[in-house]
Amino acid sequence: MTTAARVLGGRYEVGELIGRGGMADVHLGHDTRLGRQVAIKMLRSDLARDANFLMRFRREAQSAAGLNHPAIVAIFDSGEDEGLADAPNGARTTIPYIVMEYVDGQTLRQKLTDHQQLDPAEAIRVTEGILDALAYSHRMGIVHRDIKPANVMITSGGHVKVMDFGIARAIADTAATMTQTQSVVGTAQYLSPEQAQGQTVDERSDLYSTGCLLFELLAGRPPFVGDSPVAIAYQHVGELPQPPSVWNDAVGGDLDAVTLHALAKDREARYQDATEFRDDLENVRLGRQISVAALGTAAAVGAAATQTLPQAYAAPGAPTAVQPTVGARGDRYSNTAGLPAVGHDEGEDAARKGGRGKAAFITLLVIALLALVGWGAVTWFGNQAPATVPTVAVPTLEGMKEDVAARTLATNNLRGQKSTAASTSVPEGEVVSQDPSAGTRVQTQTTVKYVVSSGPDTLTVPDVTGFDKDEARAALEKAGFAVAGFTQENTPDQDKNKVTKTEPAARAVVAKDTKIRIFYATGNVKVPDDLVGKDWALAAVALQNAGLDPRKESVDSDKNPDEVLSVDKAGDVVKRGTTIVVKVAKTPTSTATVTVTPTPPPTTTKPPTTPPPTTLTLP
């Protein structure tokens, strides 16, 4: 008897468990609609019961789904499914899930378990792939926060795939950066110092974690080890790492320097973006000079006191020129045992004089022979074709990303010289023009100049009205603006802490470096103080427009009916929605006395008796 497979979202069949972590389980799945194999990650039920986590998970799943890069595991879909009735009251738990690309391969953690450490060239290649993924995700505003070997896949074809974008960020947002109920969020061996101290995390934190990962690939162990996560976190904050060459003789001083620069404690002192980190690794791989900043960091910790041309890891079989050993000047002449003895013999003087003529003849003959040889050499070499110099066609750089253009030039044995310029037609970070032009044949190692777009000189201010003030700051900074500060204002237009306007205003076209001031509502409004004497209808509209709740109270008065006599709290600042009592005039109640005399009855034999007058009071 078989059990029917669980189906999520009406299309994803949940198969066998293929992975398990501290936050979620990963199952092999099948997309019945598209007929393809997928991986399905389902959050643990204890996390799924947290309403705050559910809200943030949905937001982060949407952000991660927007990442489309060959070095990032693709996210196809996400949703929620009702799980088993495991709550105390028998209610079902909503289980969030994410449907991802299925990667046939093994994690970097499994690879390290099998091999302990990687060859430096392979370690550089894998790390470059991770940095390619991070450079893209950082441009898209996503910080991974949990880079470690277990979150990096190596496909069966050797490609690098980074996993778990967004989920780590969602969990980190629910509590402090480092700890959550006395346990470390993430993996302690790869925590940046700012994460360990509970500070704000940014893209440079990912670069520190990548430096820890590179260290382990080279050394076979993380930069810091300890008996507990807290002990390791203290080392991240206060201790300097050893160079990886201490554990691996194959690692050169230049690779030490790059690794240690990525592990700088102060985030301002380490690599500032993933492209900068990747460029230095590429320099190591191609045997070029690494950045001055990396050399300075290594020298500061004593890892590379002197720096020569870096070791190249790209071509292990390349020939190496060896300079013959040259002794010191004193050593050249210290041993004179093979020289003839120096002395003076008077008998030699005559022979010396007789030999002078012969010596002069020999000297002239030697000079003539040398002249003849020189003339022949010049003639022979002058008739030879010049030596063939290797040439290469200049590749097309226009439209490429800056880092791709640099790698393309290096691959074609060309040098690059970058400059920047504003452009309204070419996106920021892409090549605008190049010199020489594409297709021109030049000698190898020729310098190709190329201009990279710094984006337009002007930007349009986005409309953040109604945003929470902190969300507005993030949106403006993402659009390329700096925020000058915040200003409160009393206004009925928005709820408390919601943005009312910006200066410059939304949709204004301003210079790229313009600073934006954000105005947000205090939640308070001012009661109008100019309503006395106006008609009630006009006063009520004015109070409603001010964000207040007008209440009418009629009182006797000799004023015109519905004329405003007084307004409660006029001129005061009160909370939006406060009830304001407005006293208005009404005509006082009056009475009238009418005397009615009844008609006497018809004449009878008995004289009629006239009844007394009846008084009626009429309103």
Side-chain angles (χ1 to χ4, degrees):
M1 182 175 180
T2 59
T3 303
R6 183 178 182 181
V7 179
L8 303 177
R11 64 183 287 190
Y12 303 109
E13 291 183 353
V14 180
E16 63 182 288
L17 182 69
I18 58 175
R20 173 166 289 168
M23 300 172 292
D25 295 333
V26 180
H27 294 260
L28 187 64
H30 179 72
D31 185 346
T32 59
R33 185 175 302 173
L34 298 180
R36 63 181 176 185
Q37 203 170 38
V38 295
I40 302 175
K41 173 168 285 188
M42 304 175 67
L43 267 294
R44 289 201 330 246
S45 58
D46 56 331
L47 291 178
R49 285 194 294 268
D50 187 336
N52 188 35
F53 177 80
L54 280 174
M55 177 187 69
R56 295 183 182 273
F57 178 79
R58 295 186 189 108
R59 183 186 305 166
E60 291 300 329
Q62 291 173 355
S63 298
L67 297 177
N68 183 15
H69 191 274
I72 297 176
V73 174
I75 292 181
F76 299 142
D77 196 2
S78 65
E80 297 172 3
D81 184 72
E82 283 194 358
L84 300 176
D86 56 355
N89 59 0
R92 292 181 177 272
T93 301
T94 300
I95 304 294
Y97 65 87
I98 293 179
V99 181
M100 308 179 300
E101 167 191 9
Y102 173 72
V103 180
D104 181 17
Q106 60 179 171
T107 67
L108 199 53
R109 168 56 59 209
Q110 294 168 326
K111 195 175 182 70
L112 281 172
T113 301
D114 294 339
H115 302 283
Q116 187 175 0
Q117 59 186 213
L118 302 186
D119 178 77
E122 176 66 7
I124 291 174
R125 187 190 70 82
V126 170
T127 309
E128 284 181 343
I130 296 170
L131 291 171
D132 279 339
L134 290 178
Y136 172 79
S137 71
H138 293 167
R139 286 197 302 270
M140 300 299 290
I142 301 294
V143 180
H144 192 288
R145 303 188 184 209
D146 195 20
I147 292 293
K148 59 184 179 182
N151 282 340
V152 178
M153 290 286 295
I154 306 298
T155 70
S156 55
H159 300 294
V160 177
K161 294 274 190 179
V162 179
M163 302 185 296
D164 280 352
F165 273 90
I167 295 179
R169 181 175 184 175
I171 290 178
D173 284 347
T174 64
T177 303
M178 174 186 166
T179 59
Q180 184 179 21
T181 62
Q182 305 297 325
S183 63
V184 175
V185 175
T187 306
Q189 285 88 348
Y190 310 94
L191 280 178
S192 65
E194 54 268 22
Q195 283 177 284
Q197 295 177 88
Q199 299 174 3
T200 304
V201 175
D202 60 20
E203 60 270 15
R204 292 170 294 183
S205 305
D206 280 350
L207 303 186
Y208 182 93
S209 300
T210 306
C212 294
L213 183 146
L214 174 60
F215 188 104
E216 185 170 359
L217 296 183
L218 297 170
R221 49 153 282 171
F224 301 110
V225 294
D227 296 333
S228 68
V230 175
I232 297 172
Y234 276 122
Q235 294 180 67
H236 279 295
V237 174
E239 292 187 16
L240 293 176
Q242 294 278 356
S245 58
V246 172
W247 288 274
N248 187 351
D249 294 337
V251 179
D254 52 328
L255 193 49
D256 272 343
V258 171
T259 307
L260 294 176
H261 188 52
L263 295 176
K265 304 296 183 188
D266 182 359
R267 72 178 85 188
E268 298 294 336
R270 71 178 77 118
Y271 290 110
Q272 296 300 291
D273 57 62
T275 301
E276 185 181 339
F277 191 173
R278 193 197 189 288
D279 286 345
D280 255 0
L281 281 178
E282 184 179 79
N283 289 337
V284 172
R285 177 167 53 82
L286 298 177
R288 298 191 300 233
Q289 188 75 30
I290 61 175
S291 65
V292 175
L295 291 175
T297 299
V301 298
T306 59
Q307 178 68 25
T308 59
L309 284 179
Q311 174 185 351
Y313 294 95
T320 303
V322 180
Q323 177 76 18
T325 303
V326 179
R329 181 174 180 179
D331 294 340
R332 297 187 214 169
Y333 304 105
S334 60
N335 185 2
T336 59
L339 295 178
V342 179
H344 181 72
D345 188 348
E346 293 181 359
E348 291 179 355
D349 290 341
R352 188 178 295 117
K353 291 178 182 179
R356 285 175 183 170
K358 184 178 180 180
F361 173 77
I362 294 174
T363 300
L364 291 173
L365 181 60
V366 170
I367 293 173
L369 288 173
L370 290 174
L372 181 61
V373 171
W375 174 82
V378 170
T379 302
W380 188 84
F381 283 111
N383 293 329
Q384 302 303 308
T388 302
V389 178
T391 61
V392 64
V394 177
T396 300
L397 303 181
E398 296 177 5
M400 283 186 178
K401 290 290 186 182
E402 176 186 344
D403 54 343
V404 177
R407 291 199 298 272
T408 301
L409 289 174
T411 302
N412 287 273
N413 289 325
L414 295 170
R415 301 179 184 274
Q417 181 179 329
K418 183 194 81 173
S419 59
T420 58
S423 173
T424 56
S425 59
V426 179
E428 183 177 356
E430 292 186 5
V431 176
V432 178
S433 61
Q434 65 182 90
D435 181 30
S437 58
T440 304
R441 295 204 69 85
V442 296
Q443 296 180 7
T444 57
Q445 298 305 313
T446 296
T447 298
V448 177
K449 299 178 181 179
Y450 59 99
V451 179
V452 177
S453 170
S454 59
D457 284 331
T458 59
L459 296 172
T460 301
V461 179
D463 188 358
V464 294
T465 304
F467 285 36
D468 181 83
K469 61 188 182 71
D470 293 325
E471 293 177 348
R473 175 199 282 272
L476 289 169
E477 290 177 346
K478 185 177 181 180
F481 291 101
V483 175
F486 296 93
T487 299
Q488 294 180 328
E489 64 175 353
N490 299 327
T491 174
D493 298 334
Q494 297 292 341
D495 293 331
K496 184 177 181 180
N497 289 331
K498 298 296 183 181
V499 175
T500 58
K501 64 181 180 180
T502 57
E503 286 185 358
R507 292 181 288 277
V509 179
V510 298
K512 188 175 182 179
D513 57 353
T514 300
K515 294 185 177 181
I516 308 296
R517 177 163 290 276
I518 298 174
F519 291 77
Y520 68 94
T522 61
N524 300 326
V525 293
K526 182 179 179 181
V527 180
D529 56 1
D530 58 349
L531 302 180
V532 174
K534 292 186 177 181
D535 185 78
W536 153 249
L538 296 177
V541 171
L543 289 169
Q544 289 172 348
N545 289 340
L548 300 167
D549 181 19
R551 296 294 173 88
K552 179 180 179 182
E553 182 179 312
S554 300
V555 297
D556 293 339
S557 173
D558 57 356
K559 300 290 184 181
N560 294 327
D562 281 346
E563 181 178 332
V564 175
L565 302 178
S566 66
V567 178
D568 187 26
K569 301 179 181 178
D572 293 347
V573 175
V574 298
K575 288 185 177 180
R576 184 168 175 255
T578 298
T579 299
I580 301 298
V581 176
V582 181
K583 294 182 179 181
V584 299
K586 75 172 182 177
T587 303
T589 303
S590 60
T591 59
T593 302
V594 179
T595 302
V596 179
T597 303
T599 303
T603 304
T604 58
T605 58
K606 185 178 180 179
T609 301
T610 303
T614 301
T615 302
L616 300 178
T617 301
L618 301 178

